[in-house]
Amino acid sequence: MKNRAAIYQREATEMLHNISLYPGLTEDQLCRFFPEKEAAAKALLAHMLKEGRVFCTGNGRYYANKEARNGADKDLSRCVWVLLDFIDQVEYHTVGEFPATILCFANGELYEIVPIPQGKEIMICQLLRQPQKDAGKRIVVVEDTSQIELLDIPHVAGFCTVAEDGTVSYYKKEAALES
Protein backbone atom coordinates (compact mmCIF):
# COMPACT_ATOMS: atom_id res chain seq x y z
CA MET A 1 0.00 0.00 0.00
CA LYS A 2 1.34 3.42 -0.98
CA ASN A 3 1.63 6.15 1.59
CA ARG A 4 0.76 9.76 0.92
CA ALA A 5 4.38 10.69 0.09
CA ALA A 6 4.58 7.99 -2.58
CA ILE A 7 1.28 9.07 -4.12
CA TYR A 8 2.36 12.71 -4.42
CA GLN A 9 6.01 12.08 -5.35
CA ARG A 10 5.44 12.50 -9.10
CA GLU A 11 3.35 15.64 -8.61
CA ALA A 12 5.92 17.09 -6.17
CA THR A 13 8.73 16.45 -8.63
CA GLU A 14 6.75 18.03 -11.46
CA MET A 15 5.80 21.03 -9.27
CA LEU A 16 9.45 21.67 -8.36
CA HIS A 17 10.45 21.24 -12.00
CA ASN A 18 7.86 23.82 -13.12
CA ILE A 19 8.91 26.30 -10.41
CA SER A 20 12.54 25.93 -11.51
CA LEU A 21 11.74 26.24 -15.23
CA TYR A 22 9.37 29.17 -14.89
CA PRO A 23 10.37 31.26 -11.84
CA GLY A 24 7.87 33.76 -10.53
CA LEU A 25 4.61 31.99 -11.33
CA THR A 26 1.51 32.42 -9.19
CA GLU A 27 -0.22 29.69 -7.22
CA ASP A 28 -3.05 29.68 -9.78
CA GLN A 29 -0.61 29.13 -12.65
CA LEU A 30 1.29 26.37 -10.85
CA CYS A 31 -1.89 24.52 -9.91
CA ARG A 32 -3.26 24.69 -13.47
CA PHE A 33 -0.39 22.46 -14.60
CA PHE A 34 -2.40 19.69 -12.90
CA PRO A 35 -5.81 19.66 -14.61
CA GLU A 36 -8.49 18.03 -12.47
CA LYS A 37 -6.02 17.85 -9.54
CA GLU A 38 -5.82 21.57 -8.80
CA ALA A 39 -6.99 21.25 -5.17
CA ALA A 40 -4.36 18.57 -4.48
CA ALA A 41 -1.73 20.69 -6.24
CA LYS A 42 -2.64 23.67 -4.05
CA ALA A 43 -2.26 21.54 -0.91
CA LEU A 44 1.04 20.16 -2.19
CA LEU A 45 2.34 23.67 -2.90
CA ALA A 46 1.37 24.81 0.61
CA HIS A 47 3.17 21.77 2.07
CA MET A 48 6.30 22.46 0.01
CA LEU A 49 6.26 26.10 1.12
CA LYS A 50 5.92 25.08 4.78
CA GLU A 51 8.86 22.65 4.40
CA GLY A 52 11.03 25.35 2.80
CA ARG A 53 11.33 23.49 -0.51
CA VAL A 54 9.92 26.51 -2.38
CA PHE A 55 9.71 30.21 -1.57
CA CYS A 56 6.94 32.75 -2.09
CA THR A 57 7.34 36.51 -2.35
CA GLY A 58 4.96 39.09 -0.96
CA ASN A 59 3.32 39.44 -4.37
CA GLY A 60 2.40 35.73 -4.38
CA ARG A 61 5.02 34.50 -6.84
CA TYR A 62 6.88 31.23 -6.28
CA TYR A 63 10.58 30.46 -6.68
CA ALA A 64 12.81 27.41 -6.26
CA ASN A 65 15.26 29.30 -4.05
CA LYS A 66 15.72 32.68 -2.43
CA GLU A 67 18.38 33.72 -4.94
CA ALA A 68 15.94 33.29 -7.85
CA ARG A 69 13.59 35.94 -6.46
CA ASN A 70 14.83 38.76 -8.67
CA GLY A 71 11.38 39.80 -9.81
CA ALA A 72 8.78 38.08 -11.95
CA ASP A 73 9.15 38.23 -15.70
CA LYS A 74 5.91 39.59 -17.16
CA ASP A 75 6.56 38.03 -20.59
CA LEU A 76 7.26 34.61 -19.07
CA SER A 77 4.09 34.77 -17.00
CA ARG A 78 1.99 35.68 -20.07
CA CYS A 79 3.56 32.84 -22.09
CA VAL A 80 2.82 30.37 -19.30
CA TRP A 81 -0.85 31.45 -19.37
CA VAL A 82 -0.86 30.58 -23.09
CA LEU A 83 0.72 27.18 -22.37
CA LEU A 84 -1.84 26.53 -19.62
CA ASP A 85 -4.66 27.39 -22.01
CA PHE A 86 -4.04 24.10 -23.83
CA ILE A 87 -2.09 22.14 -21.17
CA ASP A 88 -4.38 19.12 -21.53
CA GLN A 89 -3.05 18.68 -25.10
CA VAL A 90 0.63 19.22 -24.18
CA GLU A 91 2.91 16.20 -24.20
CA TYR A 92 6.08 18.07 -23.17
CA HIS A 93 7.11 21.66 -22.40
CA THR A 94 10.30 23.50 -21.52
CA VAL A 95 11.88 26.94 -21.64
CA GLY A 96 12.81 28.17 -25.08
CA GLU A 97 15.77 29.99 -26.49
CA PHE A 98 15.32 33.72 -27.19
CA PRO A 99 13.11 34.94 -28.74
CA ALA A 100 10.91 31.92 -27.96
CA THR A 101 10.11 31.79 -24.25
CA ILE A 102 8.50 28.34 -24.16
CA LEU A 103 8.73 25.30 -26.43
CA CYS A 104 6.12 22.59 -26.27
CA PHE A 105 4.86 19.56 -28.10
CA ALA A 106 1.09 19.44 -28.39
CA ASN A 107 -0.85 17.00 -30.51
CA GLY A 108 2.40 15.81 -32.06
CA GLU A 109 3.45 19.30 -33.22
CA LEU A 110 6.24 21.57 -31.98
CA TYR A 111 5.11 25.03 -30.87
CA GLU A 112 7.16 28.05 -29.88
CA ILE A 113 5.47 30.61 -27.65
CA VAL A 114 7.04 33.95 -28.50
CA PRO A 115 6.29 37.18 -26.61
CA ILE A 116 6.72 40.47 -28.45
CA PRO A 117 6.82 43.54 -26.20
CA GLN A 118 5.66 46.82 -27.69
CA GLY A 119 8.52 48.59 -29.41
CA LYS A 120 10.45 45.35 -30.10
CA GLU A 121 8.45 44.27 -33.16
CA ILE A 122 11.13 45.03 -35.81
CA MET A 123 13.98 43.43 -33.88
CA ILE A 124 12.10 40.21 -33.12
CA CYS A 125 10.67 39.95 -36.65
CA GLN A 126 14.22 40.12 -38.03
CA LEU A 127 15.35 37.38 -35.64
CA LEU A 128 12.43 35.12 -36.52
CA ARG A 129 12.93 35.56 -40.27
CA GLN A 130 16.41 33.99 -40.05
CA PRO A 131 16.42 30.47 -41.51
CA GLN A 132 16.01 27.90 -38.73
CA LYS A 133 15.97 24.17 -38.94
CA ASP A 134 13.23 22.49 -36.95
CA ALA A 135 11.28 25.72 -36.45
CA GLY A 136 7.91 24.93 -34.93
CA LYS A 137 4.63 26.69 -35.31
CA ARG A 138 4.71 29.99 -33.48
CA ILE A 139 2.14 31.33 -31.09
CA VAL A 140 2.93 35.03 -30.85
CA VAL A 141 1.98 36.81 -27.63
CA VAL A 142 1.44 40.55 -28.09
CA GLU A 143 0.65 43.20 -25.51
CA ASP A 144 -1.89 44.88 -27.78
CA THR A 145 -3.72 43.73 -30.91
CA SER A 146 -2.45 46.82 -32.79
CA GLN A 147 0.98 45.12 -32.88
CA ILE A 148 -0.27 42.29 -35.10
CA GLU A 149 -0.27 44.40 -38.27
CA LEU A 150 3.37 45.35 -37.60
CA LEU A 151 4.51 41.72 -37.57
CA ASP A 152 5.75 39.67 -40.52
CA ILE A 153 6.86 36.36 -39.05
CA PRO A 154 7.01 32.92 -40.71
CA HIS A 155 5.30 29.83 -39.26
CA VAL A 156 2.75 31.74 -37.15
CA ALA A 157 -0.11 29.55 -35.95
CA GLY A 158 -1.79 32.54 -34.35
CA PHE A 159 -1.48 35.66 -32.25
CA CYS A 160 -2.84 36.22 -28.78
CA THR A 161 -3.16 38.64 -25.91
CA VAL A 162 -3.26 37.72 -22.22
CA ALA A 163 -5.43 39.60 -19.73
CA GLU A 164 -4.30 40.24 -16.15
CA ASP A 165 -6.49 37.35 -14.94
CA GLY A 166 -4.81 34.92 -17.37
CA THR A 167 -7.57 34.88 -19.98
CA VAL A 168 -6.06 34.27 -23.42
CA SER A 169 -7.66 35.75 -26.56
CA TYR A 170 -6.54 34.45 -29.96
CA TYR A 171 -6.31 36.26 -33.30
CA LYS A 172 -5.39 35.49 -36.89
CA LYS A 173 -3.79 38.04 -39.19
CA GLU A 174 -6.06 38.79 -42.11
CA ALA A 175 -4.42 37.98 -45.43
CA ALA A 176 -3.96 40.92 -47.76
CA LEU A 177 -6.19 40.74 -50.82
CA GLU A 178 -4.29 40.48 -54.09
CA SER A 179 -5.54 42.46 -57.04
Side-chain angles (χ1 to χ4, degrees):
M1 186 152 178
K2 289 185 176 181
N3 64 13
R4 185 176 187 180
I7 293 170
Y8 289 112
Q9 182 62 41
R10 188 178 75 61
E11 285 84 358
T13 301
E14 188 175 339
M15 181 75 75
L16 284 171
H17 180 72
N18 290 337
I19 291 170
S20 297
L21 275 181
Y22 313 119
L25 297 186
T26 64
E27 177 181 285
D28 187 31
Q29 287 173 310
L30 289 166
C31 291
R32 290 223 0 229
F33 276 102
F34 302 91
E36 299 179 26
K37 294 182 184 177
E38 291 182 33
K42 186 174 184 173
L44 178 62
L45 190 57
H47 180 71
M48 292 168 77
L49 185 62
K50 187 175 137 186
E51 285 187 334
R53 293 176 68 191
V54 298
F55 301 91
C56 184
T57 59
N59 65 358
R61 301 212 172 254
Y62 286 80
Y63 298 89
N65 58 55
K66 291 179 180 176
E67 292 76 38
R69 297 185 302 178
N70 59 354
D73 181 340
K74 184 174 114 180
D75 287 335
L76 174 63
S77 184
R78 290 186 2 230
C79 289
V80 167
W81 280 121
V82 174
L83 174 66
L84 291 170
D85 202 42
F86 59 98
I87 194 69
D88 56 334
Q89 301 165 40
V90 173
E91 297 140 30
Y92 176 78
H93 61 87
T94 190
V95 292
E97 190 173 308
F98 183 80
T101 296
I102 296 175
L103 299 176
C104 67
F105 282 97
N107 299 321
E109 301 254 8
L110 173 64
Y111 288 90
E112 301 175 338
I113 303 175
V114 181
I116 302 190
Q118 285 186 310
K120 304 285 186 191
E121 295 89 356
I122 294 171
M123 177 189 74
I124 294 178
C125 281
Q126 288 176 337
L127 282 170
L128 293 173
R129 279 193 224 118
Q130 301 297 319
Q132 297 175 335
K133 66 174 194 168
D134 302 332
K137 293 181 178 180
R138 294 182 173 124
I139 301 171
V140 179
V141 184
V142 295
E143 292 179 19
D144 186 84
T145 56
S146 63
Q147 292 176 268
I148 295 171
E149 292 306 313
L150 304 172
L151 303 173
D152 180 23
I153 300 170
H155 312 294
V156 172
F159 299 90
C160 62
T161 57
V162 180
E164 287 294 319
D165 68 356
T167 303
V168 181
S169 300
Y170 294 92
Y171 305 90
K172 282 266 189 198
K173 193 172 189 177
E174 292 188 28
L177 296 175
E178 295 186 27
S179 48

